[in-house]
Amino acid sequence: MAGNVAADALRAPKQWKGEGATAYTSAVKLQPTAATQIATSADKIATALTLSAVAGLAFYVALGVILVKFIAAIIAAIAALGSVVFSAAGAAIIVEEAGVNTALIITAVTTLVAALGAQAQQMTAVEGEAKDNRAFPGGQWPVATA
């Protein structure tokens, strides 16, 4: 879009000469900058959303794997607890699984928090660009009237 609103890409000044054409060309000079700023902000927002989606998906997949592993271990532990010979082994399985799963959950949450921290940095950068009035004088799209 920035290329389409650039002064040298506009058709009117090519066929239109005089003070009006010059004033119009001068008035639209800021529009390519504004269009480029929109593209830059959109890229940063897309990156932040992608990071968030990937982090969330990885977190929930990790929790799902941990849950499936835990359920399988509990089933084995219940079977072991049901027999007199393996009751100590069943208790040991439960204790071991609780410790391992707790460590895995802590690791998954730590990774998620780190990813969300990166996302927060991206969003701060996007907010800074949105408040930057160099591309948008007065916080608005540049006026194209002479």
Side-chain angles (χ1 to χ4, degrees):
M1 183 176 156
N4 291 335
V5 295
D8 59 348
L10 298 173
R11 291 183 188 193
K14 292 178 185 174
Q15 299 170 358
W16 182 25
K17 305 291 182 211
E19 290 180 29
T22 303
Y24 175 75
T25 303
S26 296
V28 297
K29 282 184 181 175
L30 292 177
Q31 289 193 357
T33 305
T36 301
Q37 184 65 34
I38 290 172
T40 300
S41 294
D43 285 343
K44 291 195 179 221
I45 291 169
T47 299
L49 291 174
T50 300
L51 285 173
S52 178
V54 168
L57 179 63
F59 176 72
Y60 287 115
V61 166
L63 285 182
V65 168
I66 292 166
L67 185 61
V68 168
K69 179 180 168 295
F70 184 68
I71 290 170
I74 291 299
I75 290 171
I78 290 171
L81 285 172
S83 69
V84 175
V85 177
F86 293 110
S87 60
I93 289 172
I94 291 173
V95 170
E96 185 265 337
E97 276 299 312
V100 168
N101 287 339
T102 301
L104 290 174
I105 289 171
I106 289 170
T107 301
V109 169
T110 301
T111 304
L112 179 65
V113 168
L116 292 177
Q119 177 194 7
Q121 288 176 338
Q122 288 283 334
M123 293 308 294
T124 300
V126 169
E127 183 180 3
E129 288 181 17
K131 291 180 179 179
D132 184 3
N133 283 335
R134 287 179 290 178
F136 298 97
Q140 305 209 359
W141 183 264
V143 177
T145 56

